[in-house]
Amino acid sequence: MLKIPEHQVAGHKASDGLLGPLVDDSGRFYKPLQDDERGSREVTFYTSFSSNTRVPDHIRRFFPNFYGTQLLEASDGSGLRPHLVLQDVVSSHLHPSIMDIKIGSRTWYPQAPEDYIQRCLKKDRETSSLSLGFRISGLQVHGNKELGHWKPERKVVQKLTADEVRLALRKFVSSNSSADPYVVPDSLFASSVYGGSSGILAQLLELKAWFEDQSIYHFNSCSVLIVYEKESVLKGGPSGAQVKLIDFAHVVEGNGVIDHNFLGGVCSLIKFISEILTTPDECLTTNCLQDSERAVLTMGTATGSEQSIYNA
Amino acid sequence: MLKIPEHQVAGHKASDGLLGPLVDDSGRFYKPLQDDERGSREVTFYTSFSSNTRVPDHIRRFFPNFYGTQLLEASDGSGLRPHLVLQDVVSSHLHPSIMDIKIGSRTWYPQAPEDYIQRCLKKDRETSSLSLGFRISGLQVHGNKELGHWKPERKVVQKLTADEVRLALRKFVSSNSSADPYVVPDSLFASSVYGGSSGILAQLLELKAWFEDQSIYHFNSCSVLIVYEKESVLKGGPSGAQVKLIDFAHVVEGNGVIDHNFLGGVCSLIKFISEILTTPDECLTTNCLQDSERAVLTMGTATGSEQSIYNA
């Protein structure tokens, strides 16, 4: 009954015969535990978090539900392996559009081994993490038969400049997203996905308020997942816009200090999204696009089939 | 008419026969321009900032006034040298208590030379910058004849742990601050210095709101200076509490991205100060102090005379 997730945009993928997560039809997500301390640290986090009475309910909803661990046949055929059993956060969506954004200008932390620190530091400097306070780890925009999915390559989206991120965030909520560089994103769903009292921006602001205060956990190298349902918006229905935090293999104790690294990054993302809601699109005509902006419009290929977008 | 500043707690000091800032009796502060690009970058910043109409007036008051540059005899006897002419932010205080806090978990920035980046990174990891999002660069608490000034060593205050910073921030607003480790800080001035509508916390929150929005400048390696007048508070007068931003030799353009590194650090500082205002001191009796907390109580020596506290 277990199958390969259809809508994974980042992270290790079982579809390549590698060790990766699986899902079932009941809305559960099975994430294999890695052998090193990443696996045990993520179990520790979910166990601690799910029983922590200091976490308010309105914050808990930003995290996948946790159903313990379970021994399962691993996707790479290596035999039985413990898996985290989690809520499949996109299972309620038929055709989700998804963006995975790794938060923080720094993905390493003082307690990590030196070689891990150096690897992360190098990648943070090579990608947009250092400059923007976050990097897009992967994304897919659900399309139609003509347009196909828009699923740009992971290596490209990680290194976007500020202007390119702005454009990608517009394309993410456009009805005409495609890899065609001459199609100017119409940002048609911006107000229903990003805006409103239950939109992405409102949810990110709630998260931000919690991060200004909470000093229980430091969420190193975590991602914010942004999901919505394009088909529903097109029909005038609810956008189903939701923010989820995922990937807790590097969470450490906060020890009474706020997670200033995550907070700074999420504030930067909030600023980008706010600008889309407040800045008119008038300038986004094909004629006034800069070369650098046109470059980002080419960053994806239109395809209805799956493309590999891994995360290291 | 130029003299050595009496109340400098961090930075290069002219008092040691080195190149350092000078003040006059009219309330101006003369900061020698360093030969390398730090000097020119700080002039560029002050020039840009003072004419930038996008900076609101209520934010401008957090910055020293800028009166141009002037050729002056350097304090190290090396001859004429250009100096920045600035407002002496402590000149209105007779007996200021001062804390210099370098904001940001990262003091380097992508555009800097590689050797500078590596030096900063090493220091950020060795001090509290990385863990807390800021480090105390120096401080002095005005005392009386019996207690003397409390001016702990710079090397010590830069490396304080979270618990120690909490205690230092309490000692900073206590009537009985001294180097005696058995004196428990009474936090007598906490509400009048940190609290209230014009206190340090309110000012930091104003700054924070601006940093959530402004994407003009990135304030790398800048300090927040916290100043108040103990004598006045003791007599029931105004605390004269003020926040000033100083040291702009590493400010770079924001290019449309908020300064998430400064913002995260200032939010962390805000959390520490909020806690002092909201957490009762009951636990701060000599008996319930931890060893680590007692250690920080010994971090200064009581002296009425000057002690050297440099900044690299």
Side-chain angles (χ1 to χ4, degrees):
Chain A
M1 313 291 277
L2 295 180
K3 54 190 182 182
I4 291 166
E6 221 180 317
H7 304 298
Q8 199 185 338
V9 298
H12 301 282
K13 287 181 95 170
S15 58
D16 304 293
L18 301 172
L19 189 61
L22 299 166
V23 293
D24 67 15
D25 286 329
S26 76
R28 297 201 171 183
F29 185 89
Y30 300 86
K31 183 173 180 178
L33 291 185
Q34 282 166 298
D35 292 322
D36 57 20
E37 58 180 6
R38 284 176 293 175
S40 57
R41 209 187 272 117
E42 192 153 24
V43 175
T44 303
F45 169 74
Y46 272 111
T47 309
S48 157
F49 185 83
S50 61
S51 64
N52 195 322
T53 53
R54 287 183 293 166
V55 178
D57 285 342
H58 73 279
I59 292 303
R60 211 169 275 287
R61 72 188 171 103
F62 292 121
F63 292 77
N65 295 334
F66 172 56
Y67 305 105
T69 58
Q70 198 174 318
L71 270 181
L72 291 174
E73 192 67 41
S75 64
D76 60 354
S78 62
L80 285 176
R81 174 185 281 268
H83 286 63
L84 280 163
V85 188
L86 304 169
Q87 173 194 9
D88 180 2
V89 296
V90 299
S91 68
S92 58
H93 293 269
L94 254 180
H95 304 293
S97 292
I98 307 174
M99 191 180 285
D100 180 309
I101 307 168
K102 197 185 275 285
I103 304 292
S105 66
R106 168 172 53 75
T107 55
W108 55 278
Y109 45 104
Q111 306 90 330
E114 190 61 30
D115 61 333
Y116 175 84
I117 290 179
Q118 293 304 329
R119 263 198 329 272
C120 289
L121 180 59
K122 183 164 181 285
K123 185 146 189 191
D124 296 343
R125 293 178 67 177
E126 286 169 355
T127 62
S128 73
S129 292
L130 184 62
S131 53
L132 308 186
F134 62 84
R135 62 175 179 252
I136 299 176
S137 290
L139 70 91
Q140 72 170 26
V141 180
H142 183 73
N144 52 29
K145 271 174 193 153
E146 299 90 61
L147 291 169
H149 280 355
W150 180 56
K151 196 165 182 173
E153 294 224 25
R154 171 187 158 255
K155 288 214 168 172
V156 174
V157 292
Q158 286 186 326
K159 299 188 181 187
L160 299 184
T161 64
D163 285 343
E164 291 165 345
V165 162
R166 230 165 255 132
L167 202 52
L169 284 167
R170 282 191 192 273
K171 288 187 77 169
F172 185 65
V173 291
S174 289
S175 71
N176 60 345
S177 316
S178 83
D180 183 342
Y182 292 96
V183 174
V184 176
D186 58 20
S187 304
L188 196 63
F189 314 134
S191 63
S192 48
V193 174
Y194 293 147
S197 61
S198 62
I200 297 295
L201 182 61
Q203 293 182 50
L204 288 175
L205 288 170
E206 264 192 88
L207 255 189
K208 169 190 170 232
W210 186 59
F211 271 90
E212 286 173 347
D213 187 55
Q214 78 86 15
S215 56
I216 316 168
Y217 304 111
H218 282 197
F219 291 89
N220 305 298
S221 210
C222 285
S223 283
V224 154
L225 206 65
I226 292 176
V227 187
Y228 79 97
E229 184 71 39
K230 199 165 171 175
E231 294 293 302
S232 174
V233 191
L234 271 172
K235 291 173 188 151
S239 70
Q242 58 177 352
V243 167
K244 292 279 182 187
L245 282 181
I246 57 166
D247 294 342
F248 307 109
H250 301 285
V251 173
V252 298
E253 287 186 21
N255 293 319
V257 180
I258 65 164
D259 188 350
H260 42 87
N261 179 58
F262 188 101
L263 178 58
V266 89
C267 286
S268 178
L269 176 61
I270 283 170
K271 170 76 172 171
F272 275 89
I273 292 178
S274 305
E275 279 176 350
I276 292 176
L277 288 167
T278 54
T279 308
D281 303 351
E282 285 145 29
C283 177
L284 275 179
T285 64
T286 321
N287 286 338
C288 90
L289 279 177
Q290 305 290 315
D291 280 352
S292 67
E293 289 166 337
R294 181 155 350 263
V296 77
L297 287 168
T298 68
M299 74 189 175
T301 49
T303 165
S305 69
E306 192 89 16
Q307 263 190 283
S308 291
I309 302 191
Y310 299 91
N311 207 4
Chain B
M1 312 292 277
L2 295 179
K3 53 190 182 182
I4 291 166
E6 223 179 314
H7 304 298
Q8 199 184 337
V9 298
H12 301 283
K13 289 183 93 170
S15 59
D16 304 294
L18 301 171
L19 189 62
L22 300 165
V23 293
D24 66 15
D25 286 329
S26 76
R28 297 200 170 183
F29 185 89
Y30 301 86
K31 183 174 180 177
L33 291 185
Q34 282 166 298
D35 292 323
D36 57 20
E37 59 181 6
R38 283 176 294 175
S40 58
R41 208 186 273 117
E42 192 153 23
V43 175
T44 303
F45 168 73
Y46 272 111
T47 309
S48 156
F49 184 83
S50 60
S51 64
N52 195 322
T53 53
R54 287 183 292 165
V55 178
D57 285 342
H58 74 278
I59 292 303
R60 211 169 275 286
R61 71 187 172 105
F62 292 120
F63 291 77
N65 295 334
F66 172 57
Y67 305 105
T69 58
Q70 198 174 318
L71 269 181
L72 290 174
E73 193 67 42
S75 64
D76 61 353
S78 63
L80 286 176
R81 173 184 282 267
H83 286 63
L84 280 164
V85 188
L86 304 169
Q87 174 193 10
D88 180 2
V89 295
V90 297
S91 68
S92 59
H93 292 270
L94 254 180
H95 304 293
S97 294
I98 308 173
M99 191 180 285
D100 180 310
I101 307 167
K102 197 185 276 285
I103 304 292
S105 68
R106 167 172 54 75
T107 55
W108 55 278
Y109 45 104
Q111 306 89 331
E114 190 60 30
D115 61 334
Y116 175 83
I117 290 178
Q118 293 303 328
R119 262 198 330 271
C120 289
L121 180 59
K122 184 164 181 284
K123 186 146 187 190
D124 295 344
R125 293 178 67 177
E126 286 168 355
T127 62
S128 73
S129 292
L130 184 63
S131 53
L132 308 187
F134 61 84
R135 63 177 179 251
I136 299 177
S137 289
L139 71 91
Q140 72 171 24
V141 180
H142 184 72
N144 52 30
K145 271 172 195 156
E146 298 90 63
L147 292 169
H149 281 356
W150 179 55
K151 196 163 181 173
E153 294 222 28
R154 171 188 158 254
K155 287 215 166 170
V156 174
V157 294
Q158 286 186 326
K159 299 188 181 186
L160 299 184
T161 64
D163 285 343
E164 291 165 343
V165 162
R166 230 164 255 134
L167 202 52
L169 285 166
R170 282 191 192 273
K171 289 188 76 171
F172 185 65
V173 292
S174 289
S175 72
N176 61 345
S177 317
S178 83
D180 183 342
Y182 291 96
V183 174
V184 176
D186 58 21
S187 304
L188 196 63
F189 314 134
S191 62
S192 48
V193 175
Y194 292 148
S197 61
S198 62
I200 297 295
L201 182 62
Q203 293 181 52
L204 289 174
L205 287 170
E206 264 192 87
L207 256 188
K208 171 191 168 230
W210 186 58
F211 271 89
E212 286 172 348
D213 187 56
Q214 77 87 15
S215 55
I216 317 168
Y217 304 111
H218 281 196
F219 291 89
N220 305 298
S221 209
C222 285
S223 283
V224 154
L225 206 64
I226 292 176
V227 187
Y228 80 98
E229 184 71 38
K230 199 165 171 176
E231 293 292 303
S232 174
V233 191
L234 270 172
K235 291 173 189 152
S239 70
Q242 57 177 352
V243 166
K244 291 278 181 187
L245 282 181
I246 57 166
D247 294 343
F248 307 110
H250 301 285
V251 174
V252 299
E253 286 185 20
N255 293 320
V257 180
I258 65 164
D259 187 350
H260 42 87
N261 178 57
F262 188 100
L263 178 58
V266 90
C267 286
S268 177
L269 177 61
I270 283 170
K271 169 75 172 172
F272 274 89
I273 292 178
S274 305
E275 278 176 348
I276 293 177
L277 288 167
T278 54
T279 308
D281 304 350
E282 285 146 29
C283 177
L284 275 179
T285 63
T286 321
N287 287 337
C288 89
L289 281 177
Q290 306 290 314
D291 281 349
S292 67
E293 288 166 336
R294 184 158 345 265
V296 77
L297 287 169
T298 68
M299 75 188 175
T301 49
T303 166
S305 69
E306 191 88 16
Q307 262 190 285
S308 292
I309 302 190
Y310 300 90
N311 208 4

